[in-house]
Amino acid sequence: MSSDNRGMRALVRNHDWAATALGDAAGWPPELRVAVDLMLDARQPALVGWRTPASDAMPVLFNDAYASLLGEQPGQVLGQPLADILPAAWPRLAPLVHSALAGAAAWLDDVLLGPGARHFNTAFSPLRDAAGTVHGFFHTACALDAGEHGRVEAALQRQAHESAEASRHRSEFLAVLAHELRNPMAPIRTGLEIMRLRADSPETIERVREMLERQTRQMTHLIDDLLDVARVTSGKIEIRKQLVDLNRVVASAVETSTPMIQGARHVLDVEMWGEPLLLDIDPTRVAQVINNLLTNAAKYTPPGGSIRLTVHKERSDGNRGGQAVVAVTDSGVGIPPEHQDTIFEMFNQVGRNSGLAQGGLGIGLSLVRQLVALHGGSVSAESPGAGLGSTFTVRLPLGARMAVAGDDTARQDRRTAQRRTYRILVVDDNTDAAESLSLLLQLNSHEIRTATNGRDALALAEAFVPDVAFLDIGMPGMTGFELATRLRAMPALARMTIVAVTGWGSEEDQARSREAGFDQHFTKPIAAETVSRLLAALD
């Protein structure tokens, strides 16, 4: 590009520049001549604005394409502020002009320019002199064709719809979450009051205790699902695979689900595979998948219904090793055809709007799908329709390695047989939490000391010399991380096992625990069997 006489003549020939605020073209500054070259080369609308005593945004030049866009002759608009030339678009353009005059380029997508209905993407760039001082701006516009504009508008409408749907789902989810948390809290509170009033009745105490256990399991299951969904969604869940017999994993899940199934008076029929089905899986996560499916079946089946669980093996041409298949069939409310494609979506609950929902957050099946996918498997749902029951089928690849079934169990049994008593330190700023864990440990004849803060715990540890320490993390003053680090620094406690028992359970929290010297990390509430297994595994 050059600003020779040929270019200037071409510009003057096409426009009447008599109204130009800068006067005769021969006296224009070099930076304006550069803008002239840019405009002569531009096929899209282009305009130059200048700072003048009358306005910061005074158009002084524009090309034929911009003139065609405005539908007016140059002499009719030059010398008028851009706000007057483009009154409808000016509220959106003003910030861009001010940005360019301040020295920073700016742009805007999908804006109406001129009196027509055409849509443009537009940009503003600063015009500087040799010293770098900004004197004006260069403005270009690129027309959107009708099809592109339609796509942009459709995309905006889709985003608005998705945003509204997301907002509605969030509102529904929070309402259901509040409801689901209140459900177990109400009988727990009532049960505690009954125990206070009928402390002299062992039979009443036992019935209330069983009820409290059921409600506590329900709340724990709810919170665990929420945390697991968050971990899976963020890619931070940890799958710890090992070669195990699927029959044993299924049996464990059935045992966990039995109280809920029996409470609803359902008949459960279980058919295992006749020989070991060895899979390379995380047994805890797969048991969680099956437990969720059984719980879902129990929840959506009217009292006195039937549930059938089968385990078998199938071979396929695409998978040389074949697949293990777990199917859960119920006689419950079924899945209407319009829900069968969305049943595994987050926060989706069949029947929520038709009176069929039986509680829950609508995250269990979504978690099932994600956990199965992490194992390289698949899950599907089938139903003849509403009121006709449903079948959920999980397929997992068979393990390729050989192992001796029962080795893990035998080792665990040997460790359990060698169980002995320990000196144990429990530290938690929540007095009830510390006392309840201490009572549980005392039932197994362990010697216990408790503290509610890090400073007292250090003094106790020095005198008591514990074998094991259960530490809360989120304590005021000295956190569990700092306490663990200081305990590790004490020579007399070099072989002590330090266990985190906390409400903080993210991958980052567990990593910090390892760095601080913890041997194990458990989230509250810690189950009695978990404590027993932990202590049984110690030398």
Side-chain angles (χ1 to χ4, degrees), residues 246 250 268-271 290 293-294 297 307-312 324-330 379-380 382 390-395:
L246 181 60
V250 171
L268 175 63
D269 179 23
V270 179
E271 182 181 339
I290 299 168
L293 292 179
L294 288 171
I307 301 173
R308 178 174 173 77
L309 185 152
T310 62
V311 181
H312 66 276
V325 182
V326 180
V328 176
T329 303
D330 62 64
V379 59
S380 60
E382 296 179 4
S390 56
T391 298
F392 290 85
T393 305
V394 173
R395 288 178 168 82

Side-chain angles (χ1 to χ4, degrees), residues 114-243:
R118 296 181 65 190
H119 291 251
F120 293 82
N121 293 336
T122 185
F124 289 79
S125 304
L127 286 179
R128 307 174 187 270
D129 61 19
T133 304
V134 176
H135 291 278
F137 60 85
F138 186 65
H139 164 39
T140 58
C142 179
L144 292 170
D145 60 40
E148 186 176 357
H149 173 64
R151 288 190 293 272
V152 170
E153 188 170 350
L156 291 174
Q157 291 177 350
R158 184 171 59 254
Q159 290 174 2
H161 175 73
E162 291 173 352
S163 177
E165 281 293 293
S167 178
R168 182 178 64 81
H169 278 303
R170 280 195 300 271
S171 298
E172 286 185 359
F173 168 69
L174 291 174
V176 174
L177 175 60
H179 176 267
E180 290 301 309
L181 288 174
R182 290 191 185 102
N183 272 346
M185 286 302 298
I188 288 174
R189 184 173 182 176
T190 302
L192 292 172
E193 183 67 12
I194 293 172
M195 292 177 72
R196 184 181 68 82
L197 296 173
R198 296 299 306 274
D200 58 341
S201 172
E203 181 181 349
T204 300
I205 295 295
E206 179 62 19
R207 288 178 59 192
V208 172
R209 184 193 64 77
E210 292 175 355
M211 180 269 293
L212 293 178
E213 285 184 352
R214 287 194 302 273
Q215 299 303 321
T216 302
R217 280 197 299 268
Q218 179 180 335
M219 182 175 287
T220 301
H221 181 76
L222 172 70
I223 294 171
D224 286 345
D225 273 1
L226 279 170
L227 293 174
D228 284 339
V229 164
R231 293 184 188 116
V232 171
T233 303
S234 62
K236 295 180 179 179
I237 197 164
E238 186 175 357
I239 299 295
R240 300 176 179 176
K241 291 185 177 182
Q242 56 183 283
L243 200 64

Side-chain angles (χ1 to χ4, degrees), residues 243-244 276 278 400-408:
L243 200 64
V244 295
L278 297 180
R401 295 177 293 157
M402 297 299 295
V404 179
D407 278 357
D408 291 341

Side-chain angles (χ1 to χ4, degrees), residues 241-249 276-284 286 399 401 403 408:
K241 291 185 177 182
Q242 56 183 283
L243 200 64
V244 295
D245 178 10
L246 181 60
N247 287 319
R248 290 172 52 194
V249 176
L277 280 175
L278 297 180
L279 277 70
D280 195 20
I281 57 174
D282 184 330
T284 301
V286 173
R401 295 177 293 157
D408 291 341

Side-chain angles (χ1 to χ4, degrees), residues 42 60-61 122 141 152 157 229 323 407 410 482-483 485 503 513 524:
V60 294
L61 299 171
T122 185
V152 170
Q157 291 177 350
V229 164
Q323 294 178 313
D407 278 357
E482 182 182 352
L483 176 58
T485 301
S513 293
K524 295 178 179 178

Side-chain angles (χ1 to χ4, degrees), residues 79-96:
Q80 299 181 41
L82 193 58
D84 294 341
I85 299 173
L86 300 173
W90 179 247
R92 299 187 68 191
L93 298 181
L96 281 70

